[in-house]
């Protein structure tokens, strides 16, 4: 296991159970602010910065809006969305996905650091982490140590560009002192998660199919393997073929 130094996980749908709640919150905010968007389009844009999604969709609906008109529309929709989303996570149960805690335990026992990235902004990220108990022990930069459940948390509003750009993965690496992307594994449940992992040049770019997207929906996007759940990850990382690839050896 020495070849791997860091596993970067998405949050909603990957490490935090998501039964399409985020999409429902987004759809509610869109409907109440007269933004017309299908459920399929919302799903396809999961994992991206939510403000970026509103900006993209409003730009499409308005055609060629003036900067002031676009900003006003985006601000209105996004503000309502944040209120709906924060209320949801404050009042509803927040639980890890299948196999998540067991996988975290496996990684810590093998000296592999855990970073969480998300399309959420910091405030709602902290609500979720606090309810799960994963915020405990992190410092002001949201960096932990070998005793904390996770070792780093990066939200989309803490980098210049969210997914599908690789900046959150790269920030996790910097915070944790990992210089070689070929010692990093990326895991997510959305197309933008997989696109971000490919852009970062990670050793293994893995999708999970029990989150917001199915196997069929993720097949077309860059990945090394698709997992049934996070519970499959320890076996995969322990497999001799993956270890050889991680060490630059031929299979």
């Amino acid at each position: 296991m020495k070849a791997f130094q860091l596993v970067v996980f998405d949050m909603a749908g990957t490490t935090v159970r998501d039964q399409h709640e985020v999409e429902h919150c987004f759809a509610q905010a869109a409907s109440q602010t007269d933004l017309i968007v299908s459920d399929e389009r919302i799903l396809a844009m999961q994992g991206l910065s939510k403000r970026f999604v509103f900006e993209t969709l409003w730009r499409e609906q308005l055609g060629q809006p003036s900067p002031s008109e676009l900003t006003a529309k985006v601000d209105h929709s996004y503000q309502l969305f944040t209120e709906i989303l924060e209320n949801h996570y404050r009042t509803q149960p927040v639980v890890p996905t299948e196999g998540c805690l067991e996988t975290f335990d496996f990684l810590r026992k093998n000296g592999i650091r855990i970073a969480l990235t998300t399309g959420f902004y910091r405030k709602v990220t902290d609500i979720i982490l606090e309810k799960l108990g994963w915020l405990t022990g992190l410092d002001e930069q949201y960096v932990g140590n070998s005793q904390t459940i996770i070792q780093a948390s990066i939200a989309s509003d803490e980098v210049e560009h969210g997914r599908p750009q690789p900046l959150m993965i790269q920030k996790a690496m910097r915070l944790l002192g990992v210089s070689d992307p070929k010692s990093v594994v990326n895991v997510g449940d959305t197309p933008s998660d997989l696109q971000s992992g490919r852009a970062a040049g990670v050793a293994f770019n893995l999708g999970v199919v029990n989150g917001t997207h199915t196997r069929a929906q993720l097949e077309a996007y860059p990945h090394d393997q698709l997992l049934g759940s996070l519970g499959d990850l320890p076996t995969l990382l322990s497999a001799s073929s993956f270890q050889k690839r991680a060490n630059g050896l031929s299979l």
Side-chain angles (χ1 to χ4, degrees), residues 11-241:
M11 286 182 62
T14 302
T15 54
V16 180
R17 190 175 68 188
D18 183 350
Q19 297 177 311
H20 298 285
E21 297 103 318
V22 179
E23 293 155 60
H24 294 156
C25 292
F26 193 98
Q28 186 178 346
S31 175
Q32 292 182 24
T33 57
D34 299 320
L35 174 61
I36 301 169
V37 58
S38 68
D39 292 342
E40 293 76 16
R41 188 72 197 282
I42 294 173
L43 174 62
M45 301 185 81
Q46 284 296 292
L48 300 171
S49 163
K50 303 304 180 283
R51 186 177 180 86
F52 170 78
V53 175
F54 275 116
E55 183 175 336
T56 300
L57 295 173
W58 270 118
R59 193 182 297 276
E60 291 174 357
Q61 182 167 317
L62 295 172
Q64 294 183 319
S66 66
S68 60
E69 180 185 16
L70 179 63
T71 298
K73 293 289 190 182
V74 172
D75 285 349
H76 186 200
S77 295
Y78 183 71
Q79 179 59 38
L80 182 58
F81 169 71
T82 62
E83 293 170 4
I84 295 169
L85 187 70
E86 289 167 22
N87 181 67
H88 168 78
Y89 279 116
R90 285 195 183 102
T91 59
Q92 300 302 312
V94 179
V95 297
T97 55
E98 176 189 348
C100 175
L101 294 182
E102 295 81 0
T103 295
F104 281 6
D105 186 57
F106 167 85
L107 294 173
R108 286 196 305 274
K109 286 179 178 177
N110 282 278
I112 301 171
R113 283 158 282 185
I114 298 165
L116 301 184
T117 60
T118 179
F120 291 141
Y121 53 98
R122 175 48 65 185
K123 185 176 181 179
V124 77
T125 300
D126 282 356
I127 293 171
I128 296 169
L129 294 177
E130 182 70 37
K131 292 193 78 168
L132 290 166
W134 297 355
L135 197 58
T136 304
L138 302 187
D139 65 17
E140 64 279 359
Q141 288 187 293
Y142 296 93
V143 175
N145 53 53
S146 61
Q147 304 306 309
T148 53
I149 294 176
I150 64 172
Q151 283 67 61
S153 164
I154 297 92
S156 64
D157 60 345
E158 296 169 337
V159 293
E160 185 176 358
H161 300 292
R163 302 179 186 124
Q165 297 299 315
L167 301 187
M168 286 195 289
I169 295 173
Q170 292 167 346
K171 181 172 182 178
M173 292 174 60
R174 288 196 303 274
L175 289 174
L176 296 175
V178 176
S179 59
D180 184 3
K182 294 307 178 185
S183 65
V184 178
V185 177
N186 180 63
V187 188
D189 69 308
T190 68
S192 63
D193 292 327
L194 297 177
Q195 291 169 329
S196 175
R198 175 60 60 86
V202 299
F204 300 112
N205 196 30
L206 308 174
V208 288
V209 300
N210 65 334
T212 60
H213 287 67
T214 65
R215 183 177 296 274
Q217 290 170 325
L218 291 180
E219 280 286 359
Y221 294 90
H223 64 274
D224 293 297
Q225 195 156 331
L226 299 178
L227 309 179
S229 75
L230 285 188
D232 297 336
L233 186 58
T235 300
L236 182 65
L237 295 184
S238 300
S240 60
S241 60

